[in-house]
C-alpha cells in the first residue's frame, strides 16, 4: 500500500473555524446554532433548565458512510476522500450558521435559502462522484444514495430526542452489556437541549467552550443513579476465560494529531478533533501497513506495535491549550485544557462460549459512534463511570460527577467477532460484530480476543448551579455533535507480532493470565 500524499480532498472544502467533523463514518452530521439571545431558565430544580424562549436551530444530515457497507477495493481510496469532503461541507455549513445570527433573525427563510439549499447542492455533487467512482470499477452504488443529499433543520428538542436524552435501559447500546443510566429526578434533569446557550453561540459559565456543549443535562451525580450493570455471562465448558494485558503507557510523550487513518486515509485533519495515541508511534493520515510494521511502540512488549487511539478529554475551564488556534482544536470548537489519563489499561479477554482465534495482522476496529447526536444510539458504545462504581453504574448518555476521592473512568469493550476474511470494511463496521449476551458470534463470524480498554482521569468534579454547568469536562468531537458523552469512541489497528498474537490466543484459551 503506497504512501498517499493527499491533503484536503476537494476544492469545495474550505477551512472551518467553528465546527468539526470527528471520527465518524463519513458524510453525516448535525449543525447547531442559537437563533436568538433570549434563553432563560425556569427554576424547576438546581440541576435542570428548560428553554422558554430560546430557539436553537440544528441541521441533521444523513450519514452517507453508514449506507456504504460494500465498496470495491479499487474505489475505496477515492470514496473515503469524498466522504471526508462531505464531513468538511457540514463543518463549513456550521460555520455559516453560527456566524449569521442577525440575518436569521431578520429572514425566516435565511437558513433554508442560504445554508440548507447550498449544502444540499454541494452534497449532491459529491454523492454523484461517489456513485461514479463505485460504478467505474464495476461496483453497484446503492440506489438510496441520491436521497441522502438533503439536510433538515430541527429544533433543540428534536435533537435531544434523537440523541436519546434521558434514555432508560440502554437497549440500543452495543458491547459489554452495559446499560444507559436511569437517573433520579434530581440527578441531571430533563433539560431541553441548548436552553443554556446565549447569543453568539457562547454558553454562559462554561469556561470558554465554543457554544456547542456540554450542558448541565449532560452530567449526573453518579451517587444518585440506580445500579444498571447486568451480570456477566458465566464461562461455559469450551469457553475461554484467560486474559492478555499489554502495557503501553498514557501518551506521556504527547503524541497527538487530528487525523484518522482508518476513516480518512490520506486526509490531513480528517478526524477534526485531537487523538491521544499509545502503542504505534507512526500513526498519522499517511501511514500504511508498512509504516505500522516498521514503527516504534510505546508498549513494554515490543511485539505489540498496535495502534490504540481515542479522542482527548478536556476541562472547559477557560484554559487555552497548545491547539487553541489549530484545525481540529480551537478553530473547530474543541477547546479547554487537555487531560492526560493517569491509567490506560489494555486487556484482551476471551469468549464465555467458545475458544478464540488469532486476529489478522492490520485488522482495524472502530468501536462506538462519534455521531450519535445525528445517528442515534444504535452504534453507541460509550461507558462512563467512576472508580468505586464501575461494577454498579455505567453511563452512556451522561458524564458522571464523581464523589470526592473517586476518578472518572472511560471503558471500551470492542467488537469480538470477525468475519474471517477482511481486515476492514467500507463502513468500518461490517467485518466485525459484537457477540450476544451468551457469547455467540452470528453469521459464521469467529470469536477473536476482545480488546477492552480502561482510561482513568483525575478531573475536578463539575458543579451544577441554576441549570448551568461550571468546570465541565468533555471528549473532543464534532461541535455539531454537542460534545455529548454518547459520542465517545475508540480505535484499534492490530500490529501484534505473529508469535505474540499466538501467545495471546493460547493464554486466553487456556484460562491463563498473561502479559
Amino acid at each position: 500500500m503506497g504512501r498517499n500524499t493527499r491533503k484536503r480532498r476537494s476544492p469545495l472544502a474550505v477551512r472551518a473555524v467553528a465546527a468539526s467533523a470527528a471520527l465518524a463514518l463519513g458524510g453525516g452530521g448535525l449543525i447547531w446554532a442559537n437563533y436568538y439571545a433570549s434563553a432563560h431558565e425556569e427554576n424547576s430544580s438546581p440541576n435542570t433548565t428548560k428553554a422558554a424562549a430560546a430557539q436553537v436551530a440544528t441541521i441533521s444530515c444523513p450519514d452517507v458512510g453508514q449506507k456504504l457497507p460494500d465498496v470495491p477495493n479499487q474505489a475505496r481510496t477515492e470514496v473515503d476522500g469524498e466522504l471526508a469532503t462531505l464531513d468538511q461541507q457540514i463543518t463549513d455549513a456550521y460555520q455559516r450558521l453560527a456566524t449569521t445570527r442577525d440575518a436569521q433573525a431578520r429572514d425566516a427563510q435565511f437558513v433554508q435559502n442560504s445554508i440548507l439549499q447550498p449544502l444540499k447542492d454541494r452534497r449532491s455533487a459529491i454523492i454523484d462522484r461517489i456513485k461514479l467512482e463505485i460504478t467505474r470499477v464495476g461496483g453497484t452504488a446503492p440506489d438510496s444514495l441520491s436521497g441522502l443529499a438533503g439536510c433538515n433543520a430541527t429544533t433543540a428538542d428534536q435533537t435531544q430526542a434523537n440523541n436519546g436524552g434521558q434514555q432508560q435501559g440502554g437497549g440500543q447500546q452495543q458491547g459489554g452489556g452495559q446499560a444507559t443510566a436511569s437517573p433520579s429526578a434530581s440527578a441531571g434533569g430533563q433539560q431541553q437541549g441548548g436552553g443554556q446557550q446565549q447569543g453568539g453561540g457562547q454558553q454562559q459559565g462554561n469556561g470558554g467552550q465554543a457554544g456547542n456543549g456540554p450542558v448541565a443535562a449532560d452530567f449526573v451525580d453518579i451517587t444518585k443513579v440506580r445500579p444498571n450493570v447486568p451480570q456477566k455471562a458465566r464461562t461455559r465448558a469450551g469457553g475461554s476465560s484467560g486474559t492478555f494485558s499489554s502495557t503501553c503507557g498514557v501518551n506521556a510523550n504527547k503524541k497527538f494529531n487530528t487525523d484518522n487513518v482508518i476513516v480518512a486515509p490520506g486526509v490531513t485533519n480528517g478526524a477534526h478533533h485531537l487523538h491521544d495515541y499509545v502503542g504505534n508511534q507512526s500513526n498519522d493520515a499517511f501511514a500504511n501497513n508498512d509504516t505500522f510494521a516498521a514503527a516504534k511502540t510505546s508498549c513494554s512488549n515490543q511485539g505489540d506495535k498496535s495502534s490504540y487511539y481515542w479522542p482527548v478529554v478536556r476541562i472547559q475551564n477557560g484554559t487555552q491549550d497548545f491547539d487553541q488556534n489549530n484545525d481540529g482544536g480551537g478553530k473547530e470548537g474543541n477547546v479547554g485544557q487537555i487531560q492526560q489519563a493517569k491509567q490506560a489499561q489494555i486487556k484482551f479477554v476471551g469468549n464465555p462460549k467458545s475458544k478464540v482465534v488469532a486476529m489478522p495482522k492490520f485488522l482495524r476496529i472502530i468501536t462506538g459512534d462519534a455521531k450519535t447526536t445525528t445517528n442515534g444510539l444504535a452504534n453507541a458504545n460509550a461507558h462512563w463511570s467512576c472508580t468505586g462504581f464501575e461494577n454498579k453504574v455505567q453511563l452512556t448518555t451522561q458524564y458522571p460527577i464523581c464523589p470526592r476521592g473517586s476518578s472518572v473512568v472511560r471503558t471500551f469493550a470492542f467488537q469480538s467477532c470477525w468475519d474471517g476474511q477482511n481486515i476492514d470494511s467500507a463502513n468500518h463496521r461490517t467485518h466485525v460484530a459484537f457477540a450476544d449476551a451468551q457469547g455467540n458470534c452470528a453469521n459464521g463470524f469467529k470469536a477473536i480476543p476482545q480488546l477492552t480498554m480502561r482510561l482513568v482521569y483525575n478531573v475536578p468534579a463539575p458543579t451544577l448551579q441554576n441549570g448551568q454547568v461550571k468546570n465541565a469536562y468533555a471528549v473532543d468531537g464534532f461541535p455539531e455533535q454537542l460534545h455529548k458523552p454518547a459520542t465517545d469512541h475508540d480505535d484499534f489497528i492490530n500490529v501484534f507480532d505473529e508469535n505474540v498474537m499466538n501467545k495471546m490466543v493460547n493464554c486466553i484459551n487456556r484460562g491463563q493470565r498473561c502479559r
Side-chain angles (χ1 to χ4, degrees):
M1 191 162 73
R3 183 176 177 85
N4 188 334
T5 57
R6 288 184 295 126
K7 297 290 184 180
R8 297 271 189 206
R9 261 299 286 124
S10 167
L12 294 173
V14 299
R15 178 168 296 180
V17 173
S20 73
L23 176 66
L25 301 180
L30 187 83
I31 301 165
W32 175 95
N34 191 5
Y35 267 126
Y36 305 109
S38 58
H40 64 274
E41 298 113 18
E42 292 180 355
N43 216 3
S44 55
S45 85
N47 297 338
T48 304
T49 60
K50 294 185 179 180
Q55 295 293 320
V56 179
T58 63
I59 301 175
S60 179
C61 299
D63 194 334
V64 176
Q66 296 277 23
K67 305 298 182 182
L68 292 172
D70 186 19
V71 174
N73 288 333
Q74 305 96 305
R76 282 194 185 175
T77 298
E78 291 303 317
V79 169
D80 284 344
E82 303 295 4
L83 293 174
T85 299
L86 289 175
D87 282 339
Q88 184 64 46
Q89 289 174 344
I90 296 171
T91 295
D92 300 339
Y94 176 86
Q95 179 187 2
R96 174 78 169 149
L97 193 65
T99 56
T100 56
R101 309 272 189 246
D102 292 342
Q104 294 168 35
R106 291 193 303 268
D107 180 1
Q109 295 301 310
F110 181 87
V111 172
Q112 176 61 43
N113 295 336
S114 298
I115 299 176
L116 287 180
Q117 188 58 51
L119 178 59
K120 180 179 180 180
D121 293 342
R122 291 192 292 271
R123 284 171 61 86
S124 292
I126 298 302
I127 290 172
D128 286 344
R129 295 214 308 241
I130 289 174
K131 293 164 61 178
L132 179 62
E133 285 154 0
I134 292 174
T135 56
R136 177 178 55 82
V137 297
T140 302
D143 293 335
S144 60
L145 287 188
S146 296
L148 303 179
C151 302
N152 298 313
T154 61
T155 67
D157 290 353
Q158 289 171 315
T159 301
Q160 186 83 349
N162 190 49
N163 177 254
Q166 305 298 327
Q167 182 191 4
Q168 306 296 308
Q172 292 181 311
Q173 184 184 6
Q174 295 195 32
Q178 308 293 353
T180 302
S182 301
S184 65
S186 63
Q190 301 295 324
Q191 182 187 13
Q192 303 304 309
Q196 298 173 51
Q197 277 84 20
Q198 302 291 333
Q202 297 300 324
Q203 181 185 349
Q204 290 187 343
N206 70 344
Q209 174 62 17
N212 54 354
V215 296
D218 294 327
F219 293 87
V220 63
D221 180 346
I222 198 167
T223 67
K224 297 178 181 178
V225 181
R226 293 191 296 270
N228 60 14
V229 177
Q231 187 174 1
K232 293 183 179 180
R234 182 173 56 85
T235 302
R236 304 180 185 181
S240 46
S241 60
T243 65
F244 183 93
S245 297
S246 192
T247 302
C248 300
V250 293
N251 196 22
N253 59 349
K254 299 188 183 302
K255 176 174 173 55
F256 299 117
N257 65 48
T258 62
D259 301 340
N260 190 337
V261 72
I262 296 178
V263 173
V267 179
T268 299
N269 192 39
H272 295 256
H273 67 238
L274 196 67
H275 285 136
D276 267 318
Y277 288 86
V278 300
N280 199 287
Q281 296 296 287
S282 294
N283 191 336
D284 61 24
F286 307 105
N288 58 35
N289 291 347
D290 292 337
T291 308
F292 293 135
K296 295 182 179 180
T297 179
S298 68
C299 301
S300 57
N301 185 333
Q302 294 296 293
D304 182 7
K305 294 186 178 182
S306 300
S307 185
Y308 309 88
Y309 60 106
W310 55 83
V312 300
V313 168
R314 301 181 195 247
I315 300 177
Q316 315 298 350
N317 59 3
T319 301
Q320 296 186 1
D321 220 307
F322 75 93
D323 60 347
Q324 174 68 20
N325 298 314
N326 296 352
D327 291 339
K331 282 187 176 181
E332 300 186 76
N334 292 305
V335 301
Q337 185 178 22
I338 296 167
Q339 300 299 291
Q340 181 177 293
K342 69 174 183 178
Q343 297 178 43
Q345 298 171 325
I346 297 170
K347 182 184 293 186
F348 295 85
V349 302
N351 181 290
K353 194 170 183 179
S354 68
K355 304 298 184 185
V356 298
V357 301
M359 297 181 184
K361 197 166 187 177
F362 306 120
L363 175 70
R364 285 132 165 94
I365 308 179
I366 298 172
T367 200
D369 184 358
K371 292 186 176 179
T372 56
T373 312
T374 299
N375 294 336
L377 298 176
N379 290 312
N381 196 23
H383 300 84
W384 294 92
S385 191
C386 303
T387 55
F389 292 82
E390 295 169 73
N391 293 330
K392 295 179 288 185
V393 176
Q394 293 287 340
L395 303 171
T396 296
T397 61
Q398 288 178 298
Y399 296 111
I401 298 177
C402 302
R404 184 181 298 273
S406 178
S407 300
V408 171
V409 184
R410 302 162 73 184
T411 56
F412 302 94
F414 280 66
Q415 296 89 316
S416 59
C417 301
W418 168 55
D419 69 6
Q421 297 180 349
N422 300 294
I423 62 170
D424 200 0
S425 50
N427 64 3
H428 314 294
R429 294 197 185 278
T430 53
H431 65 299
V432 288
F434 289 98
D436 66 19
Q438 288 72 46
N440 297 298
C441 289
N443 302 320
F445 279 47
K446 302 177 180 181
I448 56 175
Q450 182 179 32
L451 170 59
T452 64
M453 297 190 65
R454 179 177 180 268
L455 308 175
V456 183
Y457 295 84
N458 279 336
V459 296
T463 58
L464 304 178
Q465 294 180 336
N466 299 321
Q468 303 230 352
V469 58
K470 295 183 179 181
N471 209 40
Y473 67 89
V475 291
D476 263 22
F478 291 91
E480 67 271 14
Q481 298 297 317
L482 310 183
H483 292 276
K484 299 293 185 186
T487 64
D488 202 11
H489 54 279
D490 203 353
D491 301 75
F492 168 67
I493 302 173
N494 169 38
V495 198
F496 271 93
D497 176 85
E498 182 178 351
N499 291 333
V500 179
M501 175 58 65
N502 289 336
K503 176 184 176 182
M504 177 196 299
V505 169
N506 290 334
C507 175
I508 290 173
N509 285 340
R510 293 171 181 171
Q512 299 172 337
R513 305 287 183 266
C514 304
R515 293 183 176 275

